[in-house]
Amino acid sequence: MTNQTGKSKPKFELSLLQTFYLVAQHGSFSSASRKLNISYQSAANHVRRLESMYGARLVEAEKGSRSVKLTPQGKALYAIFGTELETIFARISVLMQEERSVLRIGVPQAIFHHFLPRIISLFKEQEPGISLDFFERDTQLEDMMLNGELDACVSERYFGEAAISQVLLGEYPLSLIYPRDWSYGEINQDNFKILLEAPFITYEPGQTIRSRAVDFLKARLGADPKILATSSGSTSLKAMVSEGLGFAIVPNWLVPDDDPIIGKVQIESLKKMKVYLGYSAFLADNDHLAVFNAICRDQIGSRLDSAQDV
């Protein structure tokens, strides 16, 4: 879409307006961020983006305080909406509460297998009337959220999209796994060089763990690892390693330390992977999603913390 000058108009997002409305109503970014369950910085970024689209400053920070006040332009914009915007959001919230008998949730395959059965059990105890539709995906989660195909997702990526609110559930280390009975022998932190000729099994291009693993191995081996096969899911990688096909770098929680078939070495120098719960910003007040959110933060967060302590 273009205006009369031929320049493209910026894409307008309702979530930006909702954040500004709450900042104006409560007088601070922190209050708005708590209301929307997003970070303080995300709330501030929403308003800055709206200011860029509006072409004027809308809020000003009070000196020595985290509170803000509206500029004349901000007061005018806030006055235009008055109670109408609040009514619109209230109606949307009621509509979503009444219509959302199903929550559509995207989850990477391995995270689903490792964490979700217990979460589903706890959710059904509290929300017996709500159905859960799960989609085991990874690289497509952001697009599915933006296209409205999902209500929420558990992801190892931070999307940075105003339309998607994300909260950090926890983080986990990565480990190198290998067949205990293969010809290359036992692996430890000091002998990674023996993997120079070993077949490497990894994720599809574009996945974060693959990128970190390849960079790590290239630095330690002095050459690119010899990739034998790729897959989109950690469970598939584990199965191939179990068959003796090669080694892989995967989430530490995927394989127990005492697995009789697969050996494991936790790689301390590799950056930990973060796990986020994301949901459509306009569902911030949905009661069913709030229950799912709380259970995920308790179950996934505590289990990831425990895995790091092992």
Side-chain angles (χ1 to χ4, degrees), residues 264-291:
K264 182 175 77 171
V265 180
Q266 183 172 316
I267 307 174
E268 302 292 346
S269 57
L270 261 177
K271 185 178 179 181
K272 290 184 174 68
M273 294 290 296
K274 297 182 183 298
V275 180
Y276 300 92
L277 175 67
Y279 53 90
S280 296
F282 68 86
L283 289 176
D285 294 328
N286 183 277
D287 292 340
H288 312 309
L289 188 57
V291 171

Side-chain angles (χ1 to χ4, degrees), residues 107-122 154 156 172 251 253-254 275 295-296 299-305 307:
V107 188
Q109 183 188 69
I111 288 181
F112 182 92
H113 291 175
H114 199 78
F115 296 104
L116 268 294
R118 177 59 177 162
I119 289 172
I120 295 170
S121 177
L122 292 171
V154 178
E156 294 160 327
Y172 63 80
W253 43 259
L254 186 69
V275 180
I295 295 173
C296 283
Q299 290 294 310
I300 295 181
S302 61
R303 292 180 67 181
L304 289 179
D305 290 341

Side-chain angles (χ1 to χ4, degrees), residues 125-196:
E125 290 177 5
Q126 299 184 51
E127 299 284 346
I130 303 300
S131 297
L132 298 174
D133 284 355
F134 287 98
F135 299 80
E136 294 182 48
R137 304 286 192 274
D138 189 352
T139 55
Q140 306 100 316
L141 289 178
E142 182 177 358
D143 288 339
M144 292 180 74
M145 289 289 295
L146 291 173
N147 291 336
E149 299 172 64
L150 297 174
D151 301 312
C153 70
V154 178
S155 173
E156 294 160 327
R157 300 180 181 192
Y158 185 77
F159 304 140
E161 292 284 348
I164 306 172
S165 298
Q166 285 183 280
V167 294
L168 180 66
L169 297 175
E171 58 183 17
Y172 63 80
L174 295 169
S175 289
L176 187 149
I177 61 172
Y178 61 94
R180 289 190 184 275
D181 61 355
W182 70 343
S183 61
Y184 296 91
E186 183 178 352
I187 308 299
N188 58 54
Q189 298 281 357
D190 300 320
N191 70 348
F192 283 150
K193 282 282 189 181
I194 67 175
L195 298 172
L196 186 60

Side-chain angles (χ1 to χ4, degrees), residues 28-49:
S28 72
F29 292 120
S30 56
S31 294
S33 66
R34 285 194 297 270
K35 190 75 174 176
L36 295 170
N37 201 15
I38 61 177
S39 69
Y40 177 96
Q41 190 58 52
S42 293
N45 288 342
H46 285 193
V47 173
R48 298 305 172 216
R49 288 178 60 187

Side-chain angles (χ1 to χ4, degrees), residues 1-77:
M1 181 182 295
T2 59
N3 55 25
Q4 292 180 349
T5 65
K7 295 181 179 179
S8 296
K9 292 182 179 180
K11 182 181 178 182
F12 186 81
E13 297 175 12
L14 185 61
S15 57
L16 305 185
L17 189 57
Q18 184 181 25
T19 303
F20 166 73
Y21 182 80
L22 291 173
V23 169
Q25 188 178 54
H26 297 285
S28 72
F29 292 120
S30 56
S31 294
S33 66
R34 285 194 297 270
K35 190 75 174 176
L36 295 170
N37 201 15
I38 61 177
S39 69
Y40 177 96
Q41 190 58 52
S42 293
N45 288 342
H46 285 193
V47 173
R48 298 305 172 216
R49 288 178 60 187
L50 185 63
E51 288 177 331
S52 177
M53 298 167 71
Y54 192 68
R57 291 297 298 271
L58 301 174
V59 301
E60 292 178 342
E62 296 277 5
K63 286 189 176 181
S65 171
R66 300 197 80 176
S67 63
V68 299
K69 64 179 182 180
L70 297 180
T71 65
Q73 294 89 342
K75 291 178 180 178
L77 184 61

